[in-house]
Every structure is written in structure tokens, then in C-alpha cells.
């Protein structure tokens, strides 16, 4: 054994031949997405030197190849493969037992991932890439809690990188009792979903290999492919049924939609507010790329399905809500102050026309629409539900106003607060 190498230390791998082909013309040198993904995978096992890892991220950034759909899809798969293992078969049984199918929602996990077109029961997710510079309130995090009133929800998040208050920062400050985010682990995720519809999967717990690239990203000083992979790296990806994903640049929208389609997603919507906002805008138009399955005739006796991407725009009026300037929903506050706003929303202590509440409602409504929940022609959500389904359709054929009706019920019935407190209790019980 070479001197200075500890027993069991990972063997270093050189990717110099790939780096030479990546710069300056990867296409001319016939570099493939698979080769890049294999190189990225070595980062998670600490087998690339910091210099080579930094060179790889730099080449991808300045050639623009880190913004190619095939590269994003393959590298996201590599990141998920390197995540801490989860008992997917066991989790599938729990989800199947607890999910409540309705409309075209099959009872799965709407979370910020949604790549399970082949599964009958899955979860849902709602997430943004971040980096939009608007510093709006934590919309996707709050919407994920509201959505757990009717969906099994998997929220994959981390501390802030481009704002004052990341999802984990926010939730760690909630009162009267904050959840123990680090207590939710691959080993107890099944027990979590046995007791609540909501789970927050703290990225450092589920992606331990990311610690090797963190200091490199910090020193590089520009956004890397990892800023784009996070939303596609939910650890329970195999069980995701539907996803709402926000991007902060319009040109990235169709790229993400294609990456999702390549990965097998069938229920998903990528959104970008026209202000370069990484969520559905309450101020102006929002560009949408929705993945939908359609039947195609394979032969005279059978039909097959394929996923297509539908592009359209929506605005607050399509949800039956008022438009609000971004400064009205951008408190720019510290985590504990934003946490107080979150709790006041969950406890139904804000006016029905509060700008931040309506901002949250439209994003929650969008996830309900994407999941297929709003396709139900009957409604029996529970106490306070009048059962009057709003069948009106808007852009993209979605029942956006029905989504808002259900999102309001989540707040006003107390169901969202109930699911949140259950998660808090579960996380503090481990």
C-alpha cells in the first residue's frame, strides 16, 4: 500500500481524458451524457480530486452542457443512485395502504419529484431551483404542507444557499415546537409515512456524498450543475407520482421538462414566473411546461401511452385570485419571522385575501391539478367541504379554480395544520 494512504480509503480516479474532450468542444469530441454522469458519480464516493472535480464542473458550466436535458437527467440519476438506500418495497406498501386515490390521483407521493409513471401508488413533490433573487416568502415549502392535507407529500430540501431563509431554516424555527429535521432518515421514513401525510427529507441526511463537493462549489463562485440536480434528486424518486417544479430562468423550463420526460415522468409541471421567478407568479404571467400522458395507437389491437410536453401561460385570474405585486409577498425576513408567517397561515389566522396566502394557494392549487386530484367530479374532503366542485377549465385544460377551492379547505378546515403537527410529533419521537 502506498505510503500515506489509509486502509479503506477510496481509490482516486483520473478523468483527465474526459476533461480534454470536454473542453472546448464536447460535441465535436462525441462526449456523451453517460460519460459525464459516471464522472459525476465519482464525486459522491470521494474518488475525484478537488482539482478534477472543479475542472469538470467548470467545463460543464462554460460549455453549457450542464444545461442539456440528457446530461441533467443522467446526472440526477447518478445522484439518486448515490443517495442513502431506502426500502422502496416497504415504502410502496405503506403508500399503497395510506394513499387516498381521487380523480386521476392514484394515491401516490406528490413531492418535489414525480418520475413514477409506472407505479400505481406514489408521492408528490413541489420544489424550486432557487436563485431567482426576488426573496419572496417560502412559497413551495408552505404549499407542500397545505398539499399534504389531501396528498402524500415528500418535500426534499436544504438550508438556504441564495436567500435568507431556506426551507430547512424556515421549518427549524416554527413554533410552538419545531420538527427535528435530521431525525427523518432512510431507516425510519416508512414509520414516518405510517403516521403522517407529510415528510421533509433533509438533503444532507439522504445525500451524504454531497459533502465532498460542497467546498468546491463554494470556492468556484458560480452556479454549477448541482444547482439544477437538487430538484430532480428526491431520495424517494421511485415512488413520486406528481411534481411541481419551479425554475428561475425561462430558457431552463423546456430543458427541465425534457429531462423529466427522459427520466420517465408522466405527471409534472415546470413553471417560471415572467419576472424570472421560480414559482407560479402572483404578479404576472407564468410560463408552464406540463407533462401529460396521451394514448397512441400501437397496432389495431392495442394502445400504448407516450408523454408529451404542453406549453401555456397562466396568471392569478385563472385561479380566481387577485394579482399582487412581488414586493407585497417579499418580506425578506429572517427564518424565525417567516416561520411566524407560515404558522399563522396554517392556523388560519390571516385574511382570506392576504397576498402571501393567495400566493401560496395558487401554487398549492397547481400541485393539486398536476396530481390529477382536481379531475374528480365529486368532493368529500371532510368537515367544511360543501362538495361543490368547480368544473371550469383554464389554460392547459386545468381546473385551477377547483385547486384553489381545495387549497382553501386545507387551511380553513385545519387539516393542513393537523398534518404539520403530526410530522412535528413524529420527527421528535425518533
Amino acid at each position: 500500500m502506498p505510503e500515506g494512504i489509509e486502509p479503506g480509503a477510496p481509490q482516486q480516479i483520473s478523468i483527465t481524458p474526459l476533461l480534454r474532450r470536454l473542453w472546448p468542444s464536447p460535441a465535436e469530441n462525441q462526449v456523451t451524457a453517460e460519460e459525464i454522469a459516471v464522472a459525476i458519480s465519482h464525486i459522491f464516493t470521494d474518488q475525484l480530486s478537488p482539482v478534477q472535480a472543479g475542472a469538470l464542473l467548470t467545463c460543464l458550466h462554460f460549455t453549457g452542457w450542464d444545461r442539456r436535458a440528457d446530461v441533467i437527467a443522467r446526472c440526477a440519476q447518478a445522484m439518486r443512485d448515490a443517495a442513502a438506500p431506502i426500502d422502496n418495497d416497504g415504502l410502496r406498501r405503506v403508500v399503497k395502504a395510506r394513499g387516498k386515490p381521487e380523480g386521476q390521483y392514484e394515491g401516490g407521493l406528490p413531492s418535489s419529484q414525480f418520475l413514477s409513471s409506472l407505479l400505481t401508488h406514489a408521492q408528490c413533490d413541489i420544489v424550486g431551483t432557487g436563485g431567482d433573487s426576488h426573496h419572496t416568502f417560502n412559497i413551495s415549502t408552505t404549499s407542500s404542507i397545505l398539499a399534504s392535507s389531501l396528498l402524500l407529500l415528500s418535500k426534499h430540501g436544504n438550508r438556504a444557499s441564495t436567500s435568507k431563509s431556506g426551507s430547512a431554516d424556515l421549518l427549524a424555527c416554527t413554533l410552538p415546537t419545531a420538527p427535528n429535521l435530521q431525525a427523518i432518515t432512510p431507516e425510519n421514513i416508512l414509520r414516518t409515512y405510517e403516521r403522517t401525510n407529510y415528510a421533509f427529507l433533509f438533503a444532507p441526511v439522504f445525500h451524504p456524498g454531497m459533502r465532498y463537493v460542497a467546498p468546491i462549489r463554494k470556492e468556484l463562485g458560480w452556479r454549477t450543475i448541482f444547482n439544477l440536480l437538487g430538484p430532480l434528486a428526491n431520495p424517494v424518486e421511485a415512488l413520486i407520482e406528481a411534481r411541481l417544479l419551479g425554475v428561475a430562468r425561462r430558457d431552463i423550463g423546456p430543458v427541465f421538462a425534457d429531462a423529466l420526460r427522459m427520466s420517465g415522468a408522466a405527471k409534472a409541471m415546470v413553471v417560471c414566473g415572467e419576472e424570472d421567478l421560480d414559482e407560479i407568479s402572483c404578479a404576472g404571467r407564468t410560463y408552464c411546461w406540463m407533462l401529460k400522458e396521451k394514448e397512441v395507437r400501437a397496432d389495431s389491437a392495442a394502445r400504448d401511452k407516450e408523454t408529451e410536453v404542453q406549453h401555456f401561460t397562466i396568471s392569478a385570474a385563472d385561479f380566481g385570485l387577485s394579482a399582487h405585486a412581488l414586493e407585497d409577498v417579499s418580506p425578506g425576513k429572517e427564518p424565525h419571522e417567516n416561520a411566524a408567517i407560515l404558522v399563522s397561515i396554517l392556523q388560519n389566522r390571516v385574511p382570506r385575501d392576504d397576498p402571501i396566502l393567495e400566493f401560496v394557494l395558487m401554487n398549492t392549487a397547481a400541485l393539486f391539478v398536476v396530481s390529477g386530484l382536481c379531475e374528480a367530479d365529486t368532493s368529500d374532503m371532510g368537515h367544511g367541504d360543501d362538495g361543490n366542485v368547480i368544473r371550469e377549465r383554464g389554460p392547459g385544460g386545468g381546473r385551477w379554480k377547483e385547486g384553489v377551492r381545495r387549497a382553501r379547505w386545507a387551511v380553513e378546515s385545519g387539516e393542513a395544520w393537523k398534518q404539520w403537527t403530526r410530522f412535528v410529533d413524529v420527527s421528535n419521537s425518533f
Side-chain angles (χ1 to χ4, degrees):
M1 181 179 295
E3 185 178 352
I5 301 296
E6 296 182 6
Q11 182 179 356
Q12 291 288 294
I13 293 174
S14 173
I15 59 167
T16 298
L18 174 63
L19 294 174
R20 287 172 174 163
R21 292 167 57 220
L22 265 175
W23 185 262
S25 303
E28 289 183 10
N29 292 318
Q30 298 181 325
V31 175
T32 67
E34 181 62 30
E35 289 178 283
I36 294 170
V38 169
I40 288 288
S41 71
H42 296 319
I43 293 177
F44 305 128
T45 54
D46 196 24
Q47 291 181 281
L48 284 191
S49 70
V51 170
Q52 291 219 324
L56 174 61
L57 299 180
T58 299
C59 286
L60 292 174
H61 178 80
F62 286 103
T63 59
W65 271 49
D66 60 357
R67 297 178 293 283
R68 282 178 49 132
D70 57 344
V71 173
I72 292 172
R74 289 300 187 97
C75 291
Q77 180 65 58
M79 187 172 173
R80 294 193 300 271
D81 290 344
I86 291 174
D87 179 6
N88 282 329
D89 290 338
L91 184 55
R92 186 177 290 108
R93 288 192 294 271
V94 172
V95 169
K96 184 175 181 179
R98 296 202 67 249
K100 296 180 179 179
E102 185 175 2
Q104 293 178 7
Y105 170 54
E106 298 175 345
L109 289 173
S111 153
S112 282
Q113 339 291 100
F114 36 89
L115 301 186
S116 64
S117 60
L118 301 179
L119 293 177
T120 303
H121 294 84
Q123 296 166 296
C124 300
D125 182 28
I126 178 171
V127 71
T129 59
D132 63 17
S133 77
H134 290 292
H135 303 300
T136 54
F137 179 70
N138 301 77
I139 298 301
S140 69
T141 306
T142 308
S143 294
S144 70
I145 299 172
L146 264 63
S148 72
S149 61
L150 296 172
L151 306 171
L152 290 177
L153 217 298
S154 169
K155 174 64 177 172
H156 178 223
N158 206 341
R159 297 185 180 92
S161 60
T162 58
S163 65
K164 286 186 178 182
S165 179
S167 54
D169 305 303
L170 170 79
L171 299 183
C173 291
T174 53
L175 296 174
T177 304
N180 183 354
L181 299 180
Q182 297 191 49
I184 306 300
T185 67
E187 291 75 27
N188 62 37
I189 188 67
L190 275 68
R191 285 180 285 158
T192 301
Y193 278 115
E194 286 173 347
R195 297 166 59 184
T196 177
N197 287 356
Y198 187 81
F200 185 91
L201 310 184
F202 189 39
V205 173
F206 288 83
H207 290 286
M210 284 296 292
R211 68 182 183 274
Y212 301 121
V213 75
I216 299 170
R217 295 172 66 191
K218 185 175 181 179
E219 289 194 30
L220 284 178
W222 52 73
R223 295 171 70 81
T224 72
I225 192 171
F226 287 106
N227 294 89
L228 302 178
L229 296 185
L232 301 178
N234 193 310
V236 295
E237 187 74 23
L239 296 173
I240 298 299
E241 180 179 346
R243 174 187 297 159
L244 179 64
L245 191 155
V247 296
R249 283 173 40 187
R250 184 180 173 186
D251 61 312
I252 293 293
V255 174
F256 260 96
D258 281 342
L260 288 167
R261 183 178 52 78
M262 291 175 184
S263 301
K267 286 183 181 179
M269 188 164 75
V270 181
V271 299
C272 180
E274 66 178 343
E275 310 87 355
D276 286 338
L277 186 70
D278 70 336
E279 48 219 356
I280 293 176
S281 175
C282 61
R285 293 182 302 168
T286 297
Y287 301 100
C288 305
W289 297 265
M290 180 179 279
L291 275 65
K292 285 187 174 181
E293 276 191 330
K294 69 173 183 177
E295 284 191 345
V296 293
R297 185 176 295 277
D299 53 45
S300 58
R303 289 182 181 273
D304 201 355
K305 289 185 177 181
E306 66 178 28
T307 301
E308 64 178 3
V309 179
Q310 181 180 7
H311 176 53
F312 55 89
T313 62
I314 55 176
S315 63
D318 296 311
F319 293 90
L321 299 172
S322 301
H324 299 284
L326 290 185
E327 53 262 34
D328 294 336
V329 294
S330 305
K333 297 181 182 296
E334 299 299 325
H336 71 278
E337 295 173 292
N338 281 350
I341 297 173
L342 165 63
V343 170
S344 67
I345 290 174
L346 295 180
Q347 293 183 339
N348 193 27
R349 291 190 285 107
V350 298
R352 292 186 101 239
D353 61 351
D354 178 83
I356 292 179
L357 173 61
E358 293 200 337
F359 196 5
V360 170
L361 290 177
M362 65 177 67
N363 280 271
T364 307
L367 183 56
F368 284 160
V369 169
V370 173
S371 73
L373 185 69
C374 296
E375 292 303 304
D377 287 327
T378 60
S379 176
D380 185 17
M381 293 182 285
H383 176 72
D385 179 15
D386 60 13
N388 293 324
V389 174
I390 301 175
R391 294 178 172 81
E392 177 186 341
R393 296 189 181 275
R399 290 178 171 178
W400 310 105
K401 293 179 182 178
E402 171 63 7
V404 170
R405 185 185 76 87
R406 289 175 177 266
R408 281 201 185 277
W409 175 86
V411 174
E412 295 175 359
S413 69
E415 186 64 25
W417 175 249
K418 182 171 75 173
Q419 293 298 332
W420 170 247
T421 55
R422 283 181 179 175
F423 172 68
V424 171
D425 292 344
V426 169
S427 71
N428 285 293
S429 71
F430 295 133

